[in-house]
């Protein structure tokens, strides 16, 4: 990939920076890093001769039309939430504009980042994502629909990360922290309550370092991960480690913080409804659908193992270790020796 010119949108984000670093270490490609604030690009040497910063808003791609037209590969991680108008402009309209500025004869691959939340267990689009989803979920589902019928669909690869961890829990590392990693400290504050219940739901997670590895392989490797049962025009890859239950995750956190586990009650649907009523929690229609669905598992999933690699973080313990979350202090029973 010596002559490759890889355009990476959202390059200053958690996944974006891990991916940029992987490409700098493992390829000879030139990187076009599209960012809004250069100060947030903390892990990249801005003076690297292989790096060119494109400072601007993803909603105005015309500013960089020359750079976009000459890109041989694109990794589109930029996204938005927190408002219907902004989410639509960034997650749907901006993607169409970006694709329209690419040269079909120059472009080799376009890796589009979505979210596993909009897919069912067989990697088919969930109708409920468009019906009940938040503005983020709905716009991601709408964009996927559009991409399936786009003239460049034969060059698009869609990746769907599951729960993403990365960086340090206190944002002190060289990489930005993902929202889930930032939330680990807050999550431990609820362990006193969580240890009384047994969460039966299952889910996948993945570290941003492993996402970077997979993206790199999708660009440079001819290896093909297992195919899914999904009916689609563009390849879909859900990025995650083998599923585990919420109960297993709670046990790992309790052990990490050296807290005891008591007799736990199965967290049935009616109990969740009671907790939602009692605790200061606001839920949406999408939240209620998710509670009813319970399990968030997919088959197949993709991680470094599918490309002959080794995962950076395959277990929750490794996630906690790399996050820098402090361990609980071990409690020792006082031993009183008899007087001589």
């Amino acid at each position: 990939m010596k002559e490759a010119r890889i355009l990476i949108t959202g390059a200053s984000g958690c996944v974006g920076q891990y991916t940029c670093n992987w490409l700098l270490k493992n390829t000879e490609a030139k990187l076009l890093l599209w960012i809004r604030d250069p100060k947030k690009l903390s892990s990249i040497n801005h003076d690297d001769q292989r790096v060119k910063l494109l400072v601007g808003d993803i909603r105005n791609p015309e500013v960089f039309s020359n750079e976009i037209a000459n890109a041989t590969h694109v990794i589109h991680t930029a996204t938005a939430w927190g408002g219907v108008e902004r989410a639509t402009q960034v997650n749907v309209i901006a993607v169409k504009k970006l694709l329209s500025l690419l040269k079909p004869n120059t472009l080799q691959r376009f890796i589009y980042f979505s979210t596993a939340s909009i897919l069912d267990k067989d990697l088919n689009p969930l109708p409920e994502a468009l019906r009940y989803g938040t503005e983020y979920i709905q716009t991601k589902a709408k964009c996927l629909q559009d991409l399936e019928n786009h003239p460049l669909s034969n060059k698009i690869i869609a990746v769907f990360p599951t729960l993403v961890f990365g960086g340090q829990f206190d944002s002190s590392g060289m990489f930005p922290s993902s929202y889930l990693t930032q939330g680990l400290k807050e999550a431990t504050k609820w362990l006193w309550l969580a240890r009384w219940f047994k969460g039966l739901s299952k889910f996948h997670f993945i570290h941003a370092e492993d996402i970077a590895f997979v993206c790199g392989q999708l660009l440079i490797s001819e290896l093909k991960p297992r195919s899914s049962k999904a009916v689609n025009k563009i390849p879909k890859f859900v990025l995650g480690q083998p599923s585990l239950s919420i109960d297993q995750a709670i046990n790992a956190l309790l052990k990490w913080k050296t807290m005891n586990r008591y007799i736990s009650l199965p967290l049935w649907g009616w109990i969740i409804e009671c907790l939602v009523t009692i605790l200061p929690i606001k839920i949406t229609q999408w939240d209620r659908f998710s509670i009813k669905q319970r399990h968030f598992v997919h088959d197949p999933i993709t991680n470094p193992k599918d490309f002959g690699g080794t995962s950076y973080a395959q277990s929750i313990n490794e996630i906690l270790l790399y996050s820098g979350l402090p361990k609980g202090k071990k409690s020792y029973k006082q031993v009183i020796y008899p007087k001589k």
Side-chain angles (χ1 to χ4, degrees):
M1 297 189 71
K2 188 174 183 179
E3 302 301 322
R5 296 177 299 278
I6 305 175
L7 171 64
I8 304 173
T9 70
S12 62
C14 177
V15 171
Q17 294 204 44
Y18 274 97
T19 302
C20 291
N21 273 272
W22 192 94
L23 291 170
L24 287 172
K25 291 177 182 177
N26 296 278
T27 74
E28 297 181 8
K30 293 181 180 179
L31 305 186
L32 305 171
L33 308 186
W34 199 338
I35 57 178
R36 287 189 299 170
D37 184 358
K39 294 179 181 179
K40 293 184 178 181
L41 196 64
S42 56
S43 67
I44 302 294
N45 179 7
H46 295 198
D47 297 323
D48 191 313
Q49 293 184 351
R50 293 168 54 197
V51 171
K52 182 176 181 179
L53 303 186
L54 308 181
V55 182
D57 196 307
I58 192 70
R59 290 171 289 186
N60 302 309
E62 299 85 0
V63 177
F64 305 115
S65 58
N66 290 334
E67 289 83 357
I68 294 172
N70 290 317
T72 59
H73 301 76
V74 177
I75 300 177
H76 183 62
T77 74
T79 191
W81 54 86
V84 176
E85 182 178 356
R86 183 167 181 270
T88 301
Q89 290 177 349
V90 174
N91 300 343
V92 181
I93 298 175
V95 180
K96 292 180 180 179
K97 289 182 178 180
L98 174 59
L99 287 167
S100 70
L101 294 173
L102 291 164
K103 287 184 178 179
N105 294 333
T106 302
L107 180 67
Q108 295 180 31
R109 286 188 180 178
F110 186 107
I111 296 182
Y112 168 72
F113 269 74
S114 188
T115 170
S117 300
I118 68 172
L119 300 180
D120 65 15
K121 63 182 180 64
D122 295 322
L123 279 58
N124 285 306
L126 273 171
E128 290 83 359
L130 282 171
R131 194 178 310 156
Y132 304 128
T134 62
E135 71 282 347
Y136 171 73
I137 295 293
Q138 287 184 343
T139 52
K140 283 296 186 180
K142 177 64 170 64
C143 188
L144 181 62
Q145 275 188 343
D146 294 342
L147 292 180
E148 290 281 9
N149 300 303
H150 196 276
L152 291 175
S153 61
N154 64 323
K155 296 188 178 183
I156 298 174
I157 297 173
V159 295
F160 303 81
T162 48
L163 300 182
V164 177
F165 291 90
Q168 298 284 295
F169 85 99
D170 58 0
S171 301
S172 62
M174 67 179 283
F175 291 102
S177 304
S178 73
Y179 289 104
L180 282 174
T181 297
Q182 290 178 27
L184 284 174
K185 186 176 181 180
E186 183 66 25
T188 60
K189 295 179 181 179
W190 291 94
L191 284 176
W192 65 271
L193 177 61
R195 62 183 173 179
W196 291 97
F197 297 97
K198 179 179 291 187
L200 306 176
S201 300
K202 292 183 178 180
F203 64 95
H204 303 280
F205 68 88
I206 192 163
H207 194 279
E209 180 72 27
D210 291 326
I211 294 177
F213 179 92
V214 171
C215 281
Q217 295 302 314
L218 287 174
L219 288 184
I220 69 177
S221 176
E222 295 301 323
L223 294 175
K224 298 293 183 182
R226 291 182 298 149
S227 61
S228 70
K229 301 175 184 177
V231 178
N232 56 73
K233 293 182 180 179
I234 60 177
K236 296 182 177 69
F237 301 108
V238 170
L239 310 184
Q241 298 296 340
S243 66
L244 72 160
S245 68
I246 292 177
D247 198 51
Q248 289 174 308
I250 291 173
N251 282 335
L253 277 168
L254 288 171
K255 187 176 181 179
W256 191 264
K257 302 301 289 186
T258 62
M259 296 174 65
N260 294 324
R261 185 74 186 262
Y262 300 108
I263 297 175
S264 52
L265 301 173
L267 204 55
W268 305 118
W270 67 270
I271 297 179
I272 296 176
E273 290 290 343
C274 290
L275 290 174
V276 168
T277 303
I278 297 172
L279 298 174
I281 301 175
K282 293 182 179 180
I283 64 172
T284 64
Q285 282 186 301
W286 177 254
D287 295 327
R288 290 192 179 279
F289 167 73
S290 300
I291 292 172
K292 184 178 180 180
Q293 183 174 329
R294 294 183 60 186
H295 298 297
F296 301 90
V297 294
H298 304 275
D299 183 25
I301 53 170
T302 301
N303 55 56
K305 183 179 178 181
D306 293 280
F307 293 93
T310 301
S311 292
Y312 178 77
Q314 191 173 355
S315 68
I316 286 292
N317 281 339
E318 289 173 314
I319 290 292
L320 296 175
L321 175 65
Y322 298 140
S323 74
L325 185 71
K327 285 189 173 183
K329 295 181 180 180
K330 292 183 179 180
S331 58
Y332 297 93
K333 292 183 178 180
Q334 184 179 8
V335 179
I336 302 177
Y337 295 95
K339 294 182 179 179
K340 293 183 179 179

